[in-house]
Amino acid sequence: MTAKKKAHLLGFVQHGVNSHATGMWRHPKDKINWDWTKPAYWQHMARTMERGLFDAMFIADELAPYNNWEGSSDATVKYAVQCPVHEPSTIVPIITTATKHLGVGVTLSTAFEHPYSMVRRLSSLDHLSSGRVAWNVVSSYSKSEWDAYGADMTARSGRYERMEEYMELCYQLWDSWSPDAIIADRESGIYADISKVKEVHFDGEFFRSHGRSFVAPSPQGRPVLWQAGSSDRGRDFAAKHAEAIFAVHPNVDRMREYSDDLTNRLETRFNRKPGSVKKIYGVQTVVGLTRSEAQEKYERIRECIPLEGALAWISGHFGPDFSKYKLDDIVQNIEIPGIQGLFDSIIYAKGGAPVTVKEAALIYAEGMGMPRLIGTPKDIADQLEHFLDEGGADGFMLAATYTPGCFEEFADLVVPELQRRGRFRTEYAGPTLRENLLQH
């Protein structure tokens, strides 16, 4: 008898007042007696996720307020559409000193930071966390980010060539110290064997670097690498580099299609072993002790969404200024230069039926087009099992609604139900994030 696949879980948040459900700061249960700008809030969130045996807290990011809607960031700021947002890596030590096993995935863009400083930062965080850091590798996609940095937005077609070179330099820097390079011989005064600390000489089309990495090997050697490639080129990049791939699909059929495609790329194009890359799909859960209680909670969440804020968000994520379209225009007829994979989650939100601009904004504002699982712990466990068995999922990214309550409810109600079914771990595999992520 084949053993049942056990799910991996991650909490999906931003280092900000509001994450991936627009308007949640208005919710009567959101951050009661908590200040999201203070360490205590993040420590509590981390301990909650660790109590639920989550792999990691995954911190999404955006580098500047979206400014596509009506050519301004006014609506983004006015309605707290993922704004304000603080720098994600700053809370890694706060989270990891409050926990023993929980990992932290940080989203950091390759667009405006040199690989040398990126390697130094991530290796430093891996040391401070005892090997519990992941890097979600992204290139900046929104106009607002390029405007804020005073740079001309690069063509989408050339971004992956640049990212490939970026990663190659990062790998050379991470691998430049041999594991036994540090001698620390007090008698001779020699701390490191220089023959085992390579000097990197890199001259690429986009980057140059000549020197030794400034950081000795960290517990994981390299951070765990995450990616969310959705286009054809993006899927290849993810299949080549990532140890976990995050995707948003509105239903099990789309999950299965993506899973099969990624598995084929992993095995045939990049010769990677089965099970070595985890496919993590986004879901949003609303848990109640009864179905009617869960439905009431869901309706309250929807009531918090401001339409203009929702429209500003899809403008920022997908590229067009949706103020130039009518609310009843069909989004399938609109060309999208932004995140195509997430836009697909909107296109198929109604099973392929036409979706209006208004519907798209409100659906996306609930949780980026992720499947919404609303019901009792048993109902939600049923759906997650379905996604594991029929959709090819290895785990789930749980999008926040009101915090910290949504994660408290999942950890205390849904996790025990998954454990009873043999679909979730009862203890961590080891001290590092990579060990826990690869746990079967």
Side-chain angles (χ1 to χ4, degrees):
M1 185 176 176
T2 306
K4 292 180 178 179
K5 184 193 294 184
K6 288 183 169 66
H8 292 265
L9 295 175
L10 296 100
F12 192 38
V13 298
Q14 280 190 290
H15 186 188
V17 68
N18 209 87
S19 295
H20 299 89
T22 306
M24 280 300 97
W25 63 273
R26 305 169 63 195
H27 196 284
K29 289 188 176 181
D30 190 63
K31 300 178 185 66
I32 301 169
N33 297 324
W34 293 108
D35 182 343
W36 69 270
T37 67
K38 304 300 182 188
Y41 168 75
W42 294 104
Q43 290 166 345
H44 176 76
M45 288 268 281
R47 292 184 185 117
T48 298
M49 292 182 192
E50 186 164 82
R51 184 171 80 241
L53 300 175
F54 286 35
D55 284 53
M57 185 187 299
F58 185 100
I59 307 171
D61 196 33
E62 167 73 18
L63 299 178
Y66 304 119
N67 64 4
N68 296 56
W69 174 259
E70 296 183 340
S72 166
S73 59
D74 284 358
T76 301
V77 176
K78 182 178 181 180
Y79 296 108
V81 180
Q82 297 185 309
C83 176
V85 171
H86 294 179
E87 204 281 334
S89 66
T90 53
I91 53 173
V92 172
I94 291 168
I95 291 165
T96 56
T97 52
T99 55
K100 292 183 179 180
H101 299 280
L102 187 76
V104 187
V106 288
T107 299
L108 298 170
S109 174
T110 61
F112 309 110
E113 182 170 358
H114 193 277
Y116 189 88
S117 63
M118 183 69 79
V119 164
R120 190 184 188 201
R121 187 192 334 182
L122 286 164
S123 294
S124 299
L125 292 172
D126 201 51
H127 276 292
L128 290 170
S129 66
S130 300
R132 289 186 278 148
V133 164
W135 175 24
N136 179 34
V137 186
V138 299
S139 65
S140 292
Y141 63 87
S142 71
K143 174 181 175 293
S144 60
E145 296 175 304
W146 295 86
D147 288 348
Y149 278 83
D152 293 328
M153 193 168 182
T154 59
R156 182 179 186 138
S157 59
R159 283 182 212 163
Y160 280 107
E161 284 74 15
R162 187 179 182 278
M163 286 177 72
E164 286 285 357
E165 189 174 292
Y166 197 106
M167 296 309 300
E168 177 55 36
L169 177 50
C170 285
Y171 294 145
Q172 289 191 28
L173 290 164
W174 275 318
D175 296 344
S176 63
W177 285 67
S178 296
D180 59 348
I182 295 176
I183 300 168
D185 186 327
R186 293 179 184 273
E187 250 184 68
S188 67
I190 295 175
Y191 183 76
D193 182 344
I194 58 171
S195 69
K196 296 181 178 181
V197 185
K198 295 178 185 175
E199 201 163 17
V200 171
H201 293 283
F202 190 95
D203 288 289
E205 181 182 353
F206 305 100
F207 300 101
R208 298 180 65 195
S209 182
H210 297 273
R212 289 185 165 102
S213 177
F214 222 4
V215 186
S218 67
Q220 294 187 120
R222 303 172 180 179
V224 172
L225 297 178
W226 288 81
Q227 234 282 309
S230 52
S231 65
D232 181 66
R233 186 67 186 84
R235 292 185 188 198
D236 269 353
F237 183 87
K240 178 179 179 180
H241 296 282
E243 295 165 84
I245 298 171
F246 169 45
V248 174
H249 295 292
N251 56 52
V252 71
D253 292 336
R254 297 287 297 171
M255 289 179 191
R256 171 52 66 186
E257 181 183 318
Y258 186 87
S259 295
D260 290 346
D261 181 60
L262 258 295
T263 298
N264 178 63
R265 292 171 194 254
L266 288 163
E267 295 178 3
T268 62
R269 297 188 188 182
F270 301 103
N271 195 31
R272 300 186 70 179
K273 295 179 181 178
S276 62
V277 180
K278 300 300 181 185
K279 294 178 281 293
I280 309 295
Y281 295 135
V283 296
Q284 188 176 63
T285 63
V286 182
V287 190
L289 296 179
T290 65
R291 290 178 180 177
S292 60
E293 179 193 343
Q295 189 63 37
E296 287 173 12
K297 284 185 175 183
Y298 173 60
E299 294 303 330
R300 186 68 188 90
I301 287 167
R302 294 185 70 195
E303 289 169 3
C304 293
I305 300 171
L307 178 58
E308 188 179 13
L311 289 162
W313 191 16
I314 63 169
S315 296
H317 258 203
F318 301 138
D321 176 359
F322 280 93
S323 69
K324 295 180 179 178
Y325 296 90
K326 296 175 182 177
L327 291 178
D328 58 359
D329 282 347
I330 303 302
V331 294
Q332 282 93 334
N333 299 331
I334 299 172
E335 186 176 347
I336 297 298
I339 308 175
Q340 189 62 50
L342 290 179
F343 190 65
D344 286 347
S345 73
I346 298 301
I347 289 176
Y348 294 98
K350 294 171 62 179
V355 179
T356 67
V357 167
K358 181 178 180 180
E359 288 174 327
L362 294 176
I363 290 168
Y364 201 74
E366 289 181 30
M368 293 172 60
M370 298 178 188
R372 294 173 294 283
L373 312 186
I374 304 158
T376 66
K378 289 184 178 181
D379 293 333
I380 289 171
D382 287 345
Q383 280 294 301
L384 295 179
E385 283 197 287
H386 184 55
F387 294 156
L388 287 168
D389 297 336
E390 304 303 324
D394 294 307
F396 304 99
M397 190 80 74
L398 303 177
T401 54
Y402 50 85
T403 56
C406 66
F407 295 117
E408 293 168 338
E409 292 162 0
F410 194 97
D412 295 338
L413 298 174
V414 182
V415 164
E417 180 64 29
L418 290 170
Q419 290 171 329
R420 278 192 288 272
R421 301 178 185 207
R423 306 310 296 258
F424 192 62
R425 62 163 65 105
T426 55
E427 61 182 2
Y428 284 103
T432 69
L433 175 56
R434 185 169 283 116
E435 288 173 273
N436 293 319
L437 182 68
L438 295 177
Q439 184 178 6
H440 294 294

